[in-house]
Amino acid sequence: CTGAAAVGLEADLVLPELSQPLRLPLQLVPTWTEPKVGMEVLGRYEVKREIARAGAQGVVFEVFDKESRARCGLQACTFTREADVKQFVERLQLESLDSENRLFLRLRDVGLALPGRLAIIEDLPKSNLWDECQRLDFGCNLAAKIAAISNAVLSGLCRLHANGWAHCGVSPFTVCLAQDGAWKLSSLESARRVSE
């Protein structure tokens, strides 16, 4: 996404409705280029291929993080409305509820090119529940697998509900097997305040 070197910084996002500032990994991008296979993004992510992701807004790419050696997802977004910014901030707020990093797939890095173009780097799951059900071996510890997945989903939902949020997009596609082998919820952008 960059035609020149990105400038990295850690930004504290302070909003009246937050009990504490959110730490935002942000890189300012001097010029914007649409991501494509083969290019390097934000100085460390190599774009490998375009992938399909349920619920994504626009194209999603698989990228390789040369520093952590992990596979990640890249989504390019344009924020043109205040509602877009609000939804993004709410996602960060929800992710901050998972300080132990065991409940939700997380945002890793953000590249910002003014006025409102973002390259969002996020955890990329190994698989989702739908795909895993297609491969399920019904004779091999099925009850234990179901219990582990159910516990992970319910733990994530309980954390959201305890903080006044409801995940409005739970499905076999948003229950994901993370790279670390844990089951986690994705698509936090579909969460809504219980009061709404």
Side-chain angles (χ1 to χ4, degrees), residues 124-140:
L124 187 66
K126 284 185 190 178
S127 185
N128 60 43
L129 183 57
W130 177 262
D131 292 337
E132 289 300 305
C133 284
Q134 309 306 310
R135 295 188 283 269
L136 199 58
D137 177 359
F138 287 95
C140 184

Side-chain angles (χ1 to χ4, degrees), residues 2 35 39 58 60 67 73 81 83 88 105 115 117 124 136 138 143 156 180 193:
T2 68
M39 75 183 293
V60 178
E67 290 182 18
R81 304 171 306 136
F88 180 69
L105 291 182
R117 295 289 288 157
L124 187 66
L136 199 58
F138 287 95
D180 63 7
R193 292 184 188 276

Side-chain angles (χ1 to χ4, degrees), residues 172-187:
F173 300 102
T174 60
V175 175
C176 297
L177 182 61
Q179 297 290 333
D180 63 7
W183 285 94
K184 301 180 182 182
L185 288 172
S186 67
S187 300

Side-chain angles (χ1 to χ4, degrees), residues 90-106:
E90 286 176 347
R91 175 184 172 180
L92 293 173
Q93 184 179 2
L94 294 174
E95 287 184 4
S96 73
L97 300 175
D98 180 20
S99 58
E100 62 274 24
N101 193 23
R102 65 176 186 85
L103 303 174
F104 313 126
L105 291 182
R106 304 289 291 268

